Amino acid sequence: MLVDLHVKNLALIREEEVGFKPGLNILTGETGAGKSILLGSVQLALGGKMSREMIREDADYALVELAFQVDDPRVVRELEALDVHPEDGMVWLSRRLAEKRSTNRINGETCTLAQMKAVGALLIDIHGQHEHQSLLDRKRQLDILDEYGKEQIAPVRQKVRAAYQAYQKLYRQFHEDEMDEVQRKREISFLEFEIRELREADLKPGEDVELEKQHRKLSNGKKILETLGEVHTCTGYDDPSGAGERLGHALQILSGISDLDEDLGPLEEMLTDLDGLLNDFNRELTDYLSEWEFDEEEYYQIEKRLDLINHLKAKYGNSVEEIQKYQKKQEERLQRLQSYEEYKEELAQKLEGQKEKLIQQCRILTKYRKEYAKKLEQQIQEQLVDLNFLHVDLAIEFTGQALTSNGADQVEFMISTNPGEPRKPFGKVVSGGELSRIMLAVKTLLADKDQIGTLIFDEIDTGISGRTAQKVSEKMAYIGRQRQVICITHLPQIASMADAHYSIEKKQEGPDTFTAIRLLDDGDSVRELARLLGGAQITQRVLESAKEMKDLADQQKNSRLKS
């Protein structure tokens, strides 16, 4: 549920914070007051696009923040899969736009727009004119059917997707390997050359690392010997100025007085240890120098071997391990080409078998879809009758298509809104206002199936009035019993059903024009309903009508909608 919206420096909004309630939240206001800006700010925080010109002229940046309360364990799991972890059941989305850059954050951590959109899609669903128009899209219609029957359809869709991916992999492999006899012999010859070159090299894992280590040592032999000789002189016992000789002399002097003060005993022990360590160091250094021997032939063989390995790396891989993987891959490829007919036959059988598995899964998916389509078309039709489609006839028609990861079905919602007329696709029959009502009917049916906690409706009241508007308001209130609904409207019938009613107003202070939003109490809500009913002239009779409409709406919510 969206519990808080904070907007700053966006178009006409200086700074506003709105706390939304559970149930049906209604926003009303004069034309041009800023209702679309408020909706746009929510879309912006969910990763939508915005022109820099939307930042207020007197500001350097615009800020939109959304705070969501998340209670559904399924949504929490999906958020955690996106590495978003609700804090005390809350998720915060924040977007700050400046002239040259924007900053996006989820729970205070910087994120990408793609992450913001993915998280937003789990928390809120916005329905404006664009979303209503999506009902004309056959793919969207199939998605609605699958969402309606997801308990049985979703697991089969996953099986279809897995079967399709396996089929596509075999299909690509089968067709990539198609070649004539000349091509096959040419590739066999090339593979044999590569494999022979690699086998003759007889590379060992880690060989290049060890050879480079030896080569580095031999290449720097002179420098190593000269440096170690100097170290031996500095630390040895042969030169009076050597550390060993001077340390030994110091130990001899200290030993002569250590019995005069018992506190000198530990110092003598420490100096004895140092003398022993230095003696051990010099002995090992002497052994190292005595064993050092530069072998010209060994150096030549190492260089020659490294040249070969580097040559193979340039052709086959960046390391010995990569080269060996390449060799294995080419040996397998050669084996396939040497028994090409048998290999193609085996691959063709696998491809055919996988295709049959895919077809079987698609048939199961089609079966479930058709079962749920019958239920869905009947329930949508019933909902549309409630929404004042008095003579509606709706059906979901199936047509086959090529095998895809989503099955082999295409559907089209067909409708007739007048007696005696044949059913036609939505786009050829219904208006924009009718589309919005059909979307509302669909959302009513899916209200207890999808897990998105907040729905926003804009332009749901396009082209309706009177009894139809009353029916739409009842549907909105019904959905509000299942989840949070935020609706922007200009119709009093819909506004009267509000569980929380907000007014959006344009104000002016000197030369400054800005948009403000406030939560209305019962009295202010009635006055706002009167404005919607009566326009500029709000008489006592209009106020009484508005009060009656509000009372009737409350009775409706407390009786029929709760039953």
Side-chain angles (χ1 to χ4, degrees):
M1 180 178 80
L2 177 61
V3 296
D4 191 78
L5 166 65
H6 177 217
V7 187
K8 186 174 182 179
N9 299 332
L10 188 66
L12 292 177
I13 299 176
R14 292 194 298 196
E15 185 167 15
E16 289 293 325
E17 187 157 358
V18 188
F20 289 107
K21 311 292 184 181
L24 179 58
N25 295 259
I26 293 294
L27 289 82
T28 58
E30 296 278 5
T31 300
K35 299 189 294 295
S36 60
I37 297 173
L38 199 70
L39 176 62
S41 68
V42 175
Q43 292 173 319
L44 180 64
L46 299 175
K49 294 181 179 179
M50 189 196 83
S51 169
R52 304 292 173 182
E53 285 74 25
M54 291 293 288
I55 300 174
R56 281 182 66 91
E57 289 186 5
D58 57 348
D60 297 325
Y61 68 93
L63 175 68
V64 182
E65 296 175 311
L66 305 179
F68 291 91
Q69 180 180 333
V70 185
D71 299 319
D72 192 327
R74 297 173 298 172
V75 178
V76 172
R77 286 194 296 271
E78 293 196 40
L79 286 170
E80 289 177 341
L82 296 172
D83 199 25
V84 173
H85 304 275
E87 301 173 8
D88 297 326
M90 298 294 294
V91 173
W92 289 269
L93 303 182
S94 171
R95 201 157 175 218
R96 186 180 189 276
L97 289 99
E99 186 64 32
K100 295 183 178 180
R101 58 169 297 181
S102 64
T103 305
N104 317 305
R105 287 190 172 89
I106 299 175
N107 287 350
E109 295 186 3
T110 304
C111 66
T112 65
L113 272 183
Q115 290 171 317
M116 212 156 206
K117 289 178 180 178
V119 170
L122 297 173
L123 301 174
I124 193 166
D125 192 3
I126 300 177
H127 290 275
Q129 184 176 4
H130 173 73
E131 286 72 28
H132 304 331
Q133 291 294 322
S134 71
L135 272 177
L136 305 178
D137 181 6
R138 297 175 69 177
K139 183 180 182 303
R140 174 64 180 140
Q141 293 173 359
L142 183 61
D143 289 341
I144 289 171
L145 172 59
D146 287 352
E147 180 67 21
Y148 177 75
K150 67 179 179 181
E151 292 85 356
Q152 287 185 293
I153 289 176
V156 183
R157 274 182 63 169
Q158 291 177 353
K159 292 179 181 178
V160 168
R161 187 175 295 109
Y164 181 79
Q165 289 171 349
Y167 171 74
Q168 283 294 103
K169 182 178 179 181
L170 287 170
Y171 182 87
R172 287 193 298 269
Q173 189 177 347
F174 183 84
H175 289 282
E176 284 172 0
D177 284 343
E178 285 187 344
M179 59 180 65
D180 58 29
E181 187 65 15
V182 174
Q183 288 176 304
R184 186 174 72 89
K185 287 182 177 179
R186 186 184 300 119
E187 186 166 353
I188 286 175
S189 176
F190 179 70
L191 289 169
E192 287 175 338
F193 167 78
E194 286 191 330
I195 293 168
R196 182 167 58 251
E197 183 179 34
L198 292 170
R199 285 177 177 173
E200 288 174 355
D202 191 24
L203 301 178
K204 304 294 189 296
E207 179 184 6
D208 52 340
V209 177
E210 183 59 32
L211 286 173
E212 286 169 359
K213 178 181 174 183
Q214 294 179 32
H215 185 266
R216 185 166 56 251
K217 176 181 176 181
L218 292 173
S219 298
N220 295 282
K222 183 179 179 181
K223 181 179 179 181
I224 291 172
L225 288 175
E226 289 177 350
T227 302
L228 291 181
E230 185 178 351
V231 170
H232 186 271
T233 300
C234 292
T235 61
Y237 295 82
D238 299 332
D239 191 312
S241 63
E245 184 65 26
R246 295 178 67 83
L247 188 59
H249 180 63
L251 181 59
Q252 183 181 8
I253 295 172
L254 183 59
S255 297
I257 62 169
S258 60
D259 58 347
L260 301 179
D261 183 355
E262 61 181 18
D263 291 339
L264 295 175
L267 293 175
E268 182 182 8
E269 288 180 10
M270 291 172 64
L271 199 56
T272 301
D273 290 341
L274 287 172
D275 185 53
L277 285 171
L278 189 58
N279 200 0
D280 291 342
F281 170 77
N282 271 276
R283 186 167 52 251
E284 290 190 22
L285 181 56
T286 301
D287 292 342
Y288 181 90
L289 288 169
S290 65
E291 292 173 1
W292 177 276
E293 183 180 350
F294 181 80
D295 188 331
E296 188 73 38
E297 178 60 26
E298 180 188 11
Y299 182 70
Y300 170 74
Q301 291 299 333
I302 289 174
E303 273 201 323
K304 183 177 178 183
R305 183 67 174 170
L306 276 175
D307 286 344
L308 173 62
I309 292 175
N310 289 330
H311 170 71
L312 296 177
K313 282 184 178 181
K315 294 174 67 175
Y316 305 122
N318 294 321
S319 67
V320 170
E321 288 73 21
E322 285 188 20
I323 293 171
Q324 289 177 322
K325 286 181 183 178
Y326 180 82
Q327 179 181 341
K328 183 179 179 182
K329 176 185 173 184
Q330 297 304 79
E331 286 172 343
E332 291 172 352
R333 173 74 173 164
L334 177 61
Q335 186 177 4
R336 290 198 299 268
L337 293 182
Q338 286 174 334
S339 53
Y340 183 70
E341 294 303 325
E342 295 87 342
Y343 161 71
K344 290 292 286 185
E345 179 62 29
E346 180 184 354
L347 194 58
Q349 291 176 2
K350 288 182 180 179
L351 181 62
E352 189 60 32
Q354 186 59 42
K355 183 178 181 180
E356 187 57 35
K357 289 180 183 178
L358 174 58
I359 290 172
Q360 288 299 325
Q361 290 296 334
C362 287
R363 286 173 178 165
I364 296 171
L365 181 56
T366 298
K367 172 178 171 291
Y368 283 130
R369 280 172 168 166
K370 287 185 175 180
E371 289 175 1
Y372 278 100
K374 289 296 180 184
K375 299 175 185 178
L376 179 60
E377 64 187 18
Q378 178 63 33
Q379 290 193 4
I380 291 179
Q381 188 159 308
E382 291 172 0
Q383 293 288 331
L384 292 180
V385 170
D386 282 347
L387 289 169
N388 221 27
F389 283 81
L390 300 181
H391 303 288
V392 66
D393 179 17
L394 184 138
I396 300 175
E397 293 188 356
F398 280 74
T399 55
Q401 66 168 2
L403 297 172
T404 71
S405 60
N406 195 29
D409 302 315
Q410 279 191 333
V411 302
E412 183 146 34
F413 287 19
M414 309 288 285
I415 193 170
S416 168
T417 56
N418 295 303
E421 287 188 356
R423 292 190 294 259
K424 295 179 181 178
F426 278 4
K428 296 183 178 179
V429 178
V430 296
S431 64
E434 289 171 327
L435 268 181
S436 67
R437 280 187 282 159
I438 294 172
M439 178 63 85
L440 181 60
V442 169
K443 279 297 168 183
T444 303
L445 292 174
L446 298 181
D448 60 347
K449 291 182 179 293
D450 64 34
Q451 58 200 47
I452 297 176
T454 300
L455 301 177
I456 294 183
F457 287 97
D458 185 30
E459 301 187 16
I460 195 69
D461 51 16
T462 301
I464 63 172
S465 59
R467 176 173 171 77
T468 301
Q470 181 61 36
K471 292 293 186 179
V472 168
S473 72
E474 292 174 11
K475 293 297 178 188
M476 299 285 288
Y478 172 80
I479 299 176
R481 294 289 169 265
Q482 316 296 318
R483 61 202 59 235
Q484 182 189 49
V485 177
I486 299 171
C487 178
I488 299 172
T489 186
H490 66 275
L491 291 181
Q493 293 93 330
I494 295 177
S496 66
M497 284 288 188
D499 297 310
H501 188 176
Y502 302 82
S503 173
I504 302 175
E505 304 167 350
K506 185 186 292 186
K507 295 187 175 183
Q508 190 165 358
E509 290 181 358
D512 191 16
T513 302
F514 61 94
T515 291
I517 180 170
R518 62 188 179 96
L519 176 63
L520 304 179
D521 59 24
D522 289 343
D524 286 338
S525 180
V526 169
R527 282 187 285 275
E528 177 66 4
L529 289 178
R531 183 190 67 79
L532 295 173
L533 282 168
Q537 295 294 325
I538 301 178
T539 64
Q540 184 60 35
R541 182 170 296 181
V542 173
L543 281 170
E544 290 171 358
S545 297
K547 179 68 167 61
E548 183 181 12
M549 176 178 283
K550 183 66 175 174
D551 291 342
L552 289 172
D554 290 341
Q555 293 174 20
Q556 180 82 352
K557 288 190 294 182
N558 292 327
S559 57
R560 177 181 170 188
L561 292 176
K562 287 189 175 180
S563 62

